[in-house]
Amino acid sequence: LTCERYGLRRLPFSRLSRDDVAFFQGLLPGRACTDPEELQACNVDWLRSVRGCSELLLKPKTAAEVSQVLRYCHERNLAVSPQGGNTGLVGGSVPVFDEIILSTALMNQIVSFDPVSGKYHRHTVHRGGTFFWGISLQQDVCVPGILVCQAGCILEQLNEYLEERGFIMPLDLGAKGSCHIGGNVATNAGGLRLLRYGSLRGTVLGLEVVLADGTVLDCLASLRKDNTGYDLKQLFIGSEGTLGVITAISILCPQKPKAVNLAFLGCQDFSRVQEAFTTCRTMLGEILSAYEFMDEKCMELVEKHLGLSNPVRGTRADNSQSIHLIYSPSLSGSPFYVLIETSGSNSTHDEEKLNSFLEQAMTSGLVTDGTVAVDDKKIKARTRLIGIPLIFVPQTLWSLRERITEALTHDGCVYKYDVSLPVGKLYDLVTDMRARLGQSAKNVVGYGHLGDGNLHLNITAESYSHSLLDAIEPFVYEWTARYNGSISAEHGLGFKKKQFIQYSKPNEAVFLMQRFKAMLDPKGILNPYKTLPSSP
Ligand code: FAD
Ligand code: 2HG
Ligand code: ZN
């Protein structure tokens, strides 16, 4: 279906033979799967919008095994689709035809954690049935630690491992329970902490990558400074499995903030959402760690499909976990909501700053409703935040924002767009799209990482319709290009967006990318049909 829709033809790769399967079963005993049931899950993407028909799933455990797999595939001209947690949103992680799926699921070992300074000792911890060693922190330090791990470690498990040692991962996203750090690096995932800790292009210190011909490229340095030649790892960050298979990562991990506050606020229009951002950036400064926004349609969807409660409307939140008071007795909700997080090292100082911001935002009318979340355990030690109701479980508020993607999948067929735009233009795209589509769409919603100038525009309909797609595309890309935006802010191009790269990159850049691809993967066996258009 996918191929019909996109008018694609299978490239002339070899077909998998019995001898090939026997070779892989010998190389990876018990880890070269041909079971149709297991393959079914790996052949379809998270959104269930792209489906391949691979007949072989390989699960190597080491870079040496990946190297042997790719060397063989290179010689035999067999195409390969690298797969991490399969949570990608642009159809990049599943085969288009019969490509072999190369999964990092069993490459899940932490190699080392170095808190950089402070006393530490080696010890053994248990994660998901495997033992590995790590280092635990004995005293406070003010510098980031350095984690070295295999590509298949699950983001949330890495974060838990680090939190036990007083550190955190520099990125966080709604898919954290499933996505792999290798997949995060391969897509250069942004997420909810980018505003504070920057992109993976800055926090990844080194990579180990296996190239298409099986060469192992060991650039797994853990140095903060290294200007010896070209920074090759950058080529693989965001390359979506088309240039090499990432097998290990060295990454900077910030200290776990001692004080975290969360405010969930209602705004009457988008200009107030923007102004509140400018104000809080000035007033909160270095402690601002997230500024996310969502429109009222998003709120309706998480309420309707996931049963979550709007904490700033006259309905009660989960009584067992929170007290819920209404700052402003609004029963209708707000047109927009913002989620502001502060992370710092001094709770009194941070609360004072947040209080001043809230006071200013409320008295000037930037914000009309609001609630603040604080960690249950710390509540006794805290002063109550100024005149604003408290919710005790920060995750309750984060869920409202993090689970919008999930809520959308329950609303029907989803058309998903992820654009970067000047903040002032961000919501105009949603308004224009709503007007353009009228009744032909079920819902047109806008949310995203406002602090990063990143809008997630999602359109739902009862079922897939080619005419609706034609009404959306290329309009959405032309609109974005008109304001010099990016047609993929953080999800990548994968299978679904590759033919639109020209809206954000000049021909010369696309041509150079194609030359890099041809140099590193001359037979084009790595994730074919993805990321780059096939001809200049
Ligand atoms: P996969 O989906 O398995 O693969 C993604 C791409 O990377 C594919 O092209 C694949 O071939 C390639 N790849 C995977 N592993 C490797 C490897 N080891 N070496 C080479 N190539 C590899 N994305 C964001 O940027 N920000 C968000 O806030 C965000 N939130 C999300 C929330 C939800 C609920 C969901 C479902 C997705 C979200 N995403 C987000 C998208 C997705 O989670 C990210 O793109 C994530 O980084 C993908 O990781 P993964 O391990 O699932 O990779
Ligand atoms: C998020 O920020 C993700 O929640 C997913 O990037 C966005 O589903 C989307 O459109
Ligand atoms: Zn996002």
Side-chain angles (χ1 to χ4, degrees):
L1 261 179
T2 298
C3 303
E4 275 169 34
R5 191 195 299 171
Y6 289 90
L8 261 188
R9 272 174 182 273
R10 185 184 180 280
L11 291 169
F13 297 111
S14 302
R15 301 266 176 194
L16 192 69
S17 68
R18 278 202 197 131
D19 285 352
D20 296 328
V21 174
F23 170 82
F24 290 120
Q25 284 173 341
L27 180 68
L28 308 172
R31 292 179 283 127
C33 167
T34 53
D35 171 27
E37 252 178 56
E38 198 176 339
L39 274 155
Q40 209 177 350
C42 302
N43 265 313
V44 65
D45 71 332
W46 189 88
L47 288 168
R48 308 193 70 74
S49 60
V50 184
R51 189 188 299 275
C53 50
S54 177
E55 292 175 349
L56 183 63
L57 166 67
L58 300 178
K59 292 187 262 184
K61 287 185 174 175
T62 63
E65 287 181 348
V66 174
S67 167
Q68 283 173 283
V69 167
L70 290 186
R71 186 170 305 123
Y72 183 88
C73 290
H74 183 72
E75 275 163 22
R76 277 274 299 126
N77 196 31
L78 288 165
V80 176
S81 183
Q83 189 174 89
N86 196 10
T87 66
L89 298 173
V90 287
S93 53
V94 290
V96 175
F97 293 95
D98 56 347
E99 299 87 277
I100 294 169
I101 301 171
L102 180 59
S103 165
T104 52
L106 299 183
M107 302 185 66
N108 57 0
Q109 306 293 298
I110 292 180
V111 178
S112 64
F113 177 62
D114 180 1
V116 180
S117 63
K119 286 186 189 157
Y120 52 83
H121 68 272
R122 273 174 170 225
H123 67 129
T124 306
V125 288
H126 186 252
R127 279 275 182 287
T130 48
F131 284 92
F132 52 86
W133 65 267
I135 292 167
S136 79
L137 187 70
Q138 299 291 293
Q139 67 183 46
D140 274 0
V141 287
C142 305
V143 288
I146 297 172
L147 176 79
V148 180
C149 66
Q150 284 190 300
C153 291
I154 291 174
L155 179 62
E156 189 170 49
Q157 292 183 358
L158 289 178
N159 202 60
E160 283 166 10
Y161 170 88
L162 289 167
E163 280 204 359
E164 285 163 19
R165 289 155 184 82
F167 289 81
I168 55 169
M169 287 298 280
L171 80 160
D172 183 26
L173 40 143
K176 58 181 156 259
S178 304
C179 64
H180 296 182
I181 185 66
N184 299 148
V185 174
T187 53
N188 188 24
L192 308 161
R193 290 184 184 157
L194 189 135
L195 181 70
R196 176 61 169 271
Y197 300 114
S199 116
L200 286 169
R201 294 199 181 280
T203 49
V204 170
L205 294 178
L207 291 180
E208 178 188 67
V209 181
V210 181
L211 304 181
D213 66 357
T215 305
V216 180
L217 185 68
D218 181 355
C219 290
L220 201 54
S222 291
L223 304 166
R224 300 295 297 273
K225 299 183 82 174
D226 177 14
N227 280 352
T228 50
Y230 305 136
D231 189 359
L232 293 178
K233 69 173 182 290
Q234 296 295 349
L235 207 49
F236 299 96
I237 300 176
S239 65
E240 302 183 79
T242 60
L243 298 181
V245 175
I246 297 165
T247 48
I249 290 107
S250 164
I251 187 165
L252 278 173
C253 302
Q255 268 193 76
K256 185 179 174 186
K258 292 196 179 68
V260 177
N261 293 302
L262 206 57
F264 192 86
L265 309 170
C267 296
Q268 287 307 304
D269 55 38
F270 191 70
S271 68
R272 288 186 172 86
V273 170
Q274 277 179 77
E275 214 182 309
F277 175 56
T278 321
T279 310
C280 87
R281 210 172 36 180
T282 310
M283 294 186 71
L284 299 177
E286 79 293 347
I287 63 166
L288 178 65
S289 53
Y291 192 99
E292 298 286 319
F293 92 101
M294 58 196 267
D295 63 18
E296 61 183 341
K297 281 273 166 213
C298 294
M299 180 62 86
E300 271 173 44
L301 294 179
V302 293
E303 289 185 281
K304 179 175 167 194
H305 297 301
L306 307 177
L308 303 183
S309 307
N310 180 345
V312 295
R313 205 187 36 219
T315 50
R316 285 190 73 81
D318 180 351
N319 287 335
S320 61
Q321 295 189 318
S322 62
I323 347 170
H324 185 248
L325 306 166
I326 313 297
Y327 169 70
S328 155
S330 148
L331 288 172
S332 57
S334 300
F336 291 92
Y337 298 94
V338 298
L339 202 151
I340 299 172
E341 189 192 68
T342 66
S343 306
S345 55
N346 182 324
S347 57
T348 314
H349 163 267
D350 294 0
E351 277 175 21
E352 268 167 24
K353 278 185 131 177
L354 184 61
N355 283 349
S356 318
F357 162 72
L358 290 172
E359 209 165 38
Q360 156 92 13
M362 288 187 293
T363 48
S364 62
L366 287 182
V367 160
T368 37
D369 302 283
T371 184
V372 175
V374 289
D375 189 340
D376 200 2
K377 288 170 236 135
K378 293 179 193 156
I379 190 72
K380 288 198 181 78
R382 282 165 180 264
T383 54
R384 192 180 157 106
L385 288 154
I386 174 139
I388 216 163
L390 294 173
I391 256 185
F392 284 162
V393 185
Q395 195 49 45
T396 308
L397 294 185
W398 265 119
S399 294
L400 293 162
R401 164 63 187 88
E402 279 186 6
R403 295 185 67 192
I404 300 169
T405 302
E406 183 189 339
L408 281 158
T409 62
H410 297 285
D411 204 50
C413 177
V414 186
Y415 302 78
K416 200 170 274 299
Y417 302 92
D418 160 41
V419 300
S420 272
L421 283 167
V423 175
K425 297 302 296 176
L426 217 57
Y427 202 73
D428 289 354
L429 176 56
V430 184
T431 317
D432 285 3
M433 189 61 85
R434 223 172 251 152
R436 179 178 171 85
L437 300 182
Q439 296 303 309
S440 56
K442 187 174 174 190
N443 279 301
V444 178
V445 310
Y447 63 107
H449 317 284
L450 184 126
D452 310 325
N454 182 180
L455 168 75
H456 294 310
L457 163 69
N458 280 253
I459 297 151
T460 62
E462 289 302 350
S463 57
Y464 173 75
S465 143
H466 214 85
S467 61
L468 180 58
L469 185 64
D470 285 345
I472 302 170
E473 299 178 10
F475 173 82
V476 62
Y477 301 123
E478 286 165 357
W479 201 103
T480 305
R482 200 177 317 138
Y483 297 101
N484 300 316
S486 167
I487 63 135
S488 174
E490 58 173 10
H491 297 160
L493 296 167
F495 179 68
K496 293 183 177 173
K497 315 270 165 163
K498 68 164 192 166
Q499 66 271 40
F500 303 111
I501 190 172
Q502 285 89 350
Y503 286 98
S504 292
K505 289 287 180 325
N507 286 341
E508 294 77 8
V510 177
F511 184 54
L512 192 56
M513 290 182 204
Q514 283 165 331
R515 285 170 64 195
F516 278 126
K517 168 74 178 170
M519 185 182 72
L520 289 169
D521 179 15
K523 294 187 176 176
I525 61 165
L526 277 180
N527 229 4
Y529 324 103
K530 314 281 173 62
T531 310
L532 296 179
S534 39
S535 56

